[in-house]
Amino acid sequence: LLIGAVANGLINRQFERYVALQRKNFSEQLAESLPSQYDERNGEWNVDYIHGIGMYALKDGYLIRLLDRENHVVWDAENHDMTLCHQVMQEIRTEMEKRPQLKGEFSTYRYDIRKRDAIVGYLDVSYYSPYYFNESDFRFLDSLNRILIGIGLVVLTAAVAMGTMLAKRLSVPLLNVAEVTR
């Protein structure tokens, strides 16, 4: 039982780290994809492409805002569709409230957008951190916990059965010695 409880805790903690790292990596990939959308000749951004990325990211719980090098907003998810942004944020909060022990909040991370080693803009990425579990993450953890509980019960049953068999094997000769002595 102790081994099962420790294994469960370690697996949950490792999964939390994995999800947090995935969130960070996705944010960095967003930032790395943007320099190609900046036209140095006229100083303009491909806003249609950024809009596509922003809406795709929003569906996964990321709110992005792209700023030019003077910190003027180029594209902002909240300005584009504030209702949808608030709906997504509320859904995430509601989902995370199902597990109050998983404390978190929306945080914003800034990434420099560089082209040829010059800063051409900044990307602000906001998401629920340190990690956010969606419904499939919760299902995965729940099924993993059920598997661990099942394995623990099987191991406990086997340990009791083996202990009973060993106790009988050891006690029979002792009972025989006690009988002969009597």
Side-chain angles (χ1 to χ4, degrees):
L1 289 174
L2 180 62
I3 290 171
V6 169
N8 187 358
L10 291 174
I11 289 171
N12 280 328
R13 199 167 311 121
Q14 190 62 32
F15 187 70
E16 290 168 4
R17 284 190 205 125
Y18 166 77
V19 170
L21 183 61
Q22 290 300 99
R23 306 290 284 173
K24 182 177 180 257
N25 287 343
F26 183 81
S27 297
E28 290 171 355
Q29 288 172 359
L30 282 174
E32 290 169 5
S33 72
L34 291 178
S36 63
Q37 301 309 311
Y38 179 72
D39 186 350
E40 296 168 290
R41 293 172 297 202
N42 61 15
E44 292 184 8
W45 291 88
N46 181 351
V47 178
D48 292 334
Y49 179 84
I50 295 164
H51 169 75
I53 286 179
M55 297 312 290
Y56 172 75
L58 181 59
K59 301 246 186 265
D60 285 334
Y62 299 89
L63 282 73
I64 69 168
R65 176 179 32 197
L66 178 65
L67 307 161
D68 65 14
R69 68 177 142 241
E70 286 84 31
N71 281 317
H72 298 115
V73 175
V74 174
W75 192 88
D76 185 352
E78 288 189 82
N79 289 345
H80 179 74
D81 194 339
M82 185 181 295
T83 304
L84 182 59
C85 288
H86 289 289
Q87 177 186 350
V88 167
M89 291 169 69
Q90 187 56 45
E91 287 172 5
I92 290 171
R93 282 189 189 100
T94 302
E95 196 64 37
M96 293 306 289
E97 286 171 0
K98 292 179 182 177
R99 308 274 174 115
Q101 72 275 16
L102 304 177
K103 294 180 174 54
E105 62 186 3
F106 275 93
S107 300
T108 301
Y109 303 91
R110 178 165 278 197
Y111 299 91
D112 295 343
I113 307 298
R114 295 178 177 273
K115 192 160 188 175
R116 301 186 209 283
D117 292 327
I119 293 179
V120 295
Y122 305 96
L123 179 68
D124 290 342
V125 182
S126 300
Y127 58 88
Y128 199 87
S129 76
Y131 51 84
Y132 156 64
F133 289 161
N134 59 31
E135 189 59 38
S136 62
D137 293 334
F138 281 126
R139 279 195 305 271
F140 172 77
L141 283 176
D142 289 343
S143 65
L144 186 62
N145 287 334
R146 281 193 297 277
I147 289 169
L148 284 172
I149 289 169
I151 289 171
L153 291 174
V154 168
V155 168
L156 181 62
T157 304
V160 168
M162 293 294 287
T164 302
M165 285 180 15
L166 283 172
K168 282 186 180 181
R169 283 185 119 191
L170 290 173
S171 64
V172 168
L174 290 175
L175 290 173
N176 288 341
V177 169
E179 186 63 34
V180 169
T181 305
R182 233 181 280 143

PDB file of all heavy atoms in Angstrom, residues 22-38:
ATOM      1  N   GLN A  22       5.252  21.057 -21.475  1.00  0.00           N
ATOM      2  CA  GLN A  22       4.567  21.110 -22.768  1.00  0.00           C
ATOM      3  C   GLN A  22       3.979  22.498 -23.003  1.00  0.00           C
ATOM      4  O   GLN A  22       4.028  23.009 -24.122  1.00  0.00           O
ATOM      5  CB  GLN A  22       3.463  20.052 -22.844  1.00  0.00           C
ATOM      6  CG  GLN A  22       3.976  18.639 -22.929  1.00  0.00           C
ATOM      7  CD  GLN A  22       4.829  18.405 -24.147  1.00  0.00           C
ATOM      8  OE1 GLN A  22       6.044  18.427 -24.086  1.00  0.00           O
ATOM      9  NE2 GLN A  22       4.207  18.199 -25.272  1.00  0.00           N
ATOM     10  N   ARG A  23       3.410  23.103 -21.963  1.00  0.00           N
ATOM     11  CA  ARG A  23       2.837  24.447 -22.094  1.00  0.00           C
ATOM     12  C   ARG A  23       3.929  25.452 -22.464  1.00  0.00           C
ATOM     13  O   ARG A  23       3.758  26.277 -23.347  1.00  0.00           O
ATOM     14  CB  ARG A  23       2.150  24.885 -20.797  1.00  0.00           C
ATOM     15  CG  ARG A  23       1.093  23.946 -20.245  1.00  0.00           C
ATOM     16  CD  ARG A  23      -0.148  23.853 -21.022  1.00  0.00           C
ATOM     17  NE  ARG A  23      -1.006  25.007 -20.843  1.00  0.00           N
ATOM     18  CZ  ARG A  23      -2.103  25.185 -21.561  1.00  0.00           C
ATOM     19  NH1 ARG A  23      -2.469  24.310 -22.443  1.00  0.00           N
ATOM     20  NH2 ARG A  23      -2.841  26.242 -21.388  1.00  0.00           N
ATOM     21  N   LYS A  24       5.058  25.348 -21.767  1.00  0.00           N
ATOM     22  CA  LYS A  24       6.177  26.265 -22.028  1.00  0.00           C
ATOM     23  C   LYS A  24       6.717  26.050 -23.443  1.00  0.00           C
ATOM     24  O   LYS A  24       6.972  27.020 -24.165  1.00  0.00           O
ATOM     25  CB  LYS A  24       7.266  26.026 -20.987  1.00  0.00           C
ATOM     26  CG  LYS A  24       8.453  26.936 -21.123  1.00  0.00           C
ATOM     27  CD  LYS A  24       9.447  26.684 -20.001  1.00  0.00           C
ATOM     28  CE  LYS A  24      10.634  27.589 -20.122  1.00  0.00           C
ATOM     29  NZ  LYS A  24      11.802  26.927 -20.645  1.00  0.00           N
ATOM     30  N   ASN A  25       6.898  24.800 -23.840  1.00  0.00           N
ATOM     31  CA  ASN A  25       7.429  24.508 -25.177  1.00  0.00           C
ATOM     32  C   ASN A  25       6.501  25.022 -26.277  1.00  0.00           C
ATOM     33  O   ASN A  25       6.967  25.555 -27.282  1.00  0.00           O
ATOM     34  CB  ASN A  25       7.656  23.003 -25.351  1.00  0.00           C
ATOM     35  CG  ASN A  25       8.843  22.510 -24.567  1.00  0.00           C
ATOM     36  OD1 ASN A  25       9.692  23.276 -24.129  1.00  0.00           O
ATOM     37  ND2 ASN A  25       8.902  21.207 -24.358  1.00  0.00           N
ATOM     38  N   PHE A  26       5.193  24.867 -26.078  1.00  0.00           N
ATOM     39  CA  PHE A  26       4.249  25.361 -27.078  1.00  0.00           C
ATOM     40  C   PHE A  26       4.362  26.875 -27.211  1.00  0.00           C
ATOM     41  O   PHE A  26       4.345  27.409 -28.325  1.00  0.00           O
ATOM     42  CB  PHE A  26       2.820  24.949 -26.723  1.00  0.00           C
ATOM     43  CG  PHE A  26       1.809  25.355 -27.751  1.00  0.00           C
ATOM     44  CD1 PHE A  26       1.634  24.600 -28.901  1.00  0.00           C
ATOM     45  CD2 PHE A  26       1.034  26.495 -27.573  1.00  0.00           C
ATOM     46  CE1 PHE A  26       0.702  24.976 -29.869  1.00  0.00           C
ATOM     47  CE2 PHE A  26       0.104  26.874 -28.527  1.00  0.00           C
ATOM     48  CZ  PHE A  26      -0.067  26.122 -29.678  1.00  0.00           C
ATOM     49  N   SER A  27       4.484  27.573 -26.086  1.00  0.00           N
ATOM     50  CA  SER A  27       4.625  29.028 -26.111  1.00  0.00           C
ATOM     51  C   SER A  27       5.884  29.444 -26.860  1.00  0.00           C
ATOM     52  O   SER A  27       5.865  30.374 -27.666  1.00  0.00           O
ATOM     53  CB  SER A  27       4.676  29.591 -24.688  1.00  0.00           C
ATOM     54  OG  SER A  27       3.483  29.341 -24.017  1.00  0.00           O
ATOM     55  N   GLU A  28       6.970  28.735 -26.601  1.00  0.00           N
ATOM     56  CA  GLU A  28       8.228  29.050 -27.289  1.00  0.00           C
ATOM     57  C   GLU A  28       8.123  28.778 -28.784  1.00  0.00           C
ATOM     58  O   GLU A  28       8.652  29.541 -29.594  1.00  0.00           O
ATOM     59  CB  GLU A  28       9.374  28.247 -26.670  1.00  0.00           C
ATOM     60  CG  GLU A  28       9.729  28.717 -25.280  1.00  0.00           C
ATOM     61  CD  GLU A  28      10.711  27.821 -24.550  1.00  0.00           C
ATOM     62  OE1 GLU A  28      11.083  26.746 -25.088  1.00  0.00           O
ATOM     63  OE2 GLU A  28      11.104  28.192 -23.432  1.00  0.00           O
ATOM     64  N   GLN A  29       7.421  27.705 -29.153  1.00  0.00           N
ATOM     65  CA  GLN A  29       7.233  27.409 -30.571  1.00  0.00           C
ATOM     66  C   GLN A  29       6.397  28.489 -31.263  1.00  0.00           C
ATOM     67  O   GLN A  29       6.662  28.844 -32.412  1.00  0.00           O
ATOM     68  CB  GLN A  29       6.583  26.043 -30.754  1.00  0.00           C
ATOM     69  CG  GLN A  29       7.501  24.897 -30.434  1.00  0.00           C
ATOM     70  CD  GLN A  29       6.783  23.553 -30.424  1.00  0.00           C
ATOM     71  OE1 GLN A  29       5.577  23.476 -30.642  1.00  0.00           O
ATOM     72  NE2 GLN A  29       7.527  22.504 -30.150  1.00  0.00           N
ATOM     73  N   LEU A  30       5.412  29.003 -30.547  1.00  0.00           N
ATOM     74  CA  LEU A  30       4.637  30.116 -31.105  1.00  0.00           C
ATOM     75  C   LEU A  30       5.557  31.292 -31.407  1.00  0.00           C
ATOM     76  O   LEU A  30       5.493  31.873 -32.491  1.00  0.00           O
ATOM     77  CB  LEU A  30       3.551  30.566 -30.126  1.00  0.00           C
ATOM     78  CG  LEU A  30       2.281  29.744 -30.027  1.00  0.00           C
ATOM     79  CD1 LEU A  30       1.403  30.262 -28.897  1.00  0.00           C
ATOM     80  CD2 LEU A  30       1.520  29.752 -31.330  1.00  0.00           C
ATOM     81  N   ALA A  31       6.404  31.633 -30.434  1.00  0.00           N
ATOM     82  CA  ALA A  31       7.316  32.766 -30.604  1.00  0.00           C
ATOM     83  C   ALA A  31       8.297  32.517 -31.754  1.00  0.00           C
ATOM     84  O   ALA A  31       8.614  33.433 -32.514  1.00  0.00           O
ATOM     85  CB  ALA A  31       8.068  33.038 -29.303  1.00  0.00           C
ATOM     86  N   GLU A  32       8.757  31.283 -31.888  1.00  0.00           N
ATOM     87  CA  GLU A  32       9.720  30.962 -32.946  1.00  0.00           C
ATOM     88  C   GLU A  32       9.094  30.970 -34.333  1.00  0.00           C
ATOM     89  O   GLU A  32       9.795  31.140 -35.331  1.00  0.00           O
ATOM     90  CB  GLU A  32      10.354  29.595 -32.672  1.00  0.00           C
ATOM     91  CG  GLU A  32      11.285  29.606 -31.481  1.00  0.00           C
ATOM     92  CD  GLU A  32      11.720  28.213 -31.044  1.00  0.00           C
ATOM     93  OE1 GLU A  32      11.375  27.221 -31.736  1.00  0.00           O
ATOM     94  OE2 GLU A  32      12.392  28.122 -30.006  1.00  0.00           O
ATOM     95  N   SER A  33       7.770  30.804 -34.403  1.00  0.00           N
ATOM     96  CA  SER A  33       7.102  30.766 -35.708  1.00  0.00           C
ATOM     97  C   SER A  33       6.814  32.163 -36.254  1.00  0.00           C
ATOM     98  O   SER A  33       6.502  32.309 -37.436  1.00  0.00           O
ATOM     99  CB  SER A  33       5.806  29.970 -35.612  1.00  0.00           C
ATOM    100  OG  SER A  33       4.820  30.698 -34.900  1.00  0.00           O
ATOM    101  N   LEU A  34       6.925  33.195 -35.434  1.00  0.00           N
ATOM    102  CA  LEU A  34       6.482  34.521 -35.853  1.00  0.00           C
ATOM    103  C   LEU A  34       7.487  35.362 -36.644  1.00  0.00           C
ATOM    104  O   LEU A  34       7.056  36.185 -37.453  1.00  0.00           O
ATOM    105  CB  LEU A  34       5.986  35.302 -34.637  1.00  0.00           C
ATOM    106  CG  LEU A  34       4.693  34.762 -34.036  1.00  0.00           C
ATOM    107  CD1 LEU A  34       4.300  35.573 -32.816  1.00  0.00           C
ATOM    108  CD2 LEU A  34       3.582  34.744 -35.050  1.00  0.00           C
ATOM    109  N   PRO A  35       8.786  35.231 -36.448  1.00  0.00           N
ATOM    110  CA  PRO A  35       9.687  36.113 -37.209  1.00  0.00           C
ATOM    111  C   PRO A  35       9.488  36.041 -38.724  1.00  0.00           C
ATOM    112  O   PRO A  35       9.637  37.052 -39.422  1.00  0.00           O
ATOM    113  CB  PRO A  35      11.088  35.628 -36.826  1.00  0.00           C
ATOM    114  CG  PRO A  35      10.913  35.027 -35.481  1.00  0.00           C
ATOM    115  CD  PRO A  35       9.532  34.422 -35.499  1.00  0.00           C
ATOM    116  N   SER A  36       9.119  34.897 -39.235  1.00  0.00           N
ATOM    117  CA  SER A  36       8.918  34.768 -40.682  1.00  0.00           C
ATOM    118  C   SER A  36       7.690  35.546 -41.155  1.00  0.00           C
ATOM    119  O   SER A  36       7.521  35.764 -42.360  1.00  0.00           O
ATOM    120  CB  SER A  36       8.783  33.296 -41.065  1.00  0.00           C
ATOM    121  OG  SER A  36       7.640  32.735 -40.464  1.00  0.00           O
ATOM    122  N   GLN A  37       6.850  35.984 -40.232  1.00  0.00           N
ATOM    123  CA  GLN A  37       5.644  36.723 -40.592  1.00  0.00           C
ATOM    124  C   GLN A  37       5.849  38.238 -40.567  1.00  0.00           C
ATOM    125  O   GLN A  37       4.903  39.001 -40.733  1.00  0.00           O
ATOM    126  CB  GLN A  37       4.487  36.334 -39.666  1.00  0.00           C
ATOM    127  CG  GLN A  37       4.162  34.865 -39.701  1.00  0.00           C
ATOM    128  CD  GLN A  37       3.962  34.351 -41.113  1.00  0.00           C
ATOM    129  OE1 GLN A  37       3.227  34.939 -41.895  1.00  0.00           O
ATOM    130  NE2 GLN A  37       4.645  33.262 -41.455  1.00  0.00           N
ATOM    131  N   TYR A  38       7.094  38.643 -40.350  1.00  0.00           N
ATOM    132  CA  TYR A  38       7.420  40.076 -40.333  1.00  0.00           C
ATOM    133  C   TYR A  38       8.161  40.426 -41.615  1.00  0.00           C
ATOM    134  O   TYR A  38       9.158  39.795 -41.966  1.00  0.00           O
ATOM    135  CB  TYR A  38       8.282  40.403 -39.116  1.00  0.00           C
ATOM    136  CG  TYR A  38       8.682  41.843 -39.025  1.00  0.00           C
ATOM    137  CD1 TYR A  38       7.757  42.821 -38.688  1.00  0.00           C
ATOM    138  CD2 TYR A  38       9.987  42.236 -39.303  1.00  0.00           C
ATOM    139  CE1 TYR A  38       8.119  44.147 -38.607  1.00  0.00           C
ATOM    140  CE2 TYR A  38      10.360  43.565 -39.225  1.00  0.00           C
ATOM    141  CZ  TYR A  38       9.415  44.517 -38.879  1.00  0.00           C
ATOM    142  OH  TYR A  38       9.771  45.834 -38.807  1.00  0.00           O
TER     143      TYR A  38
END
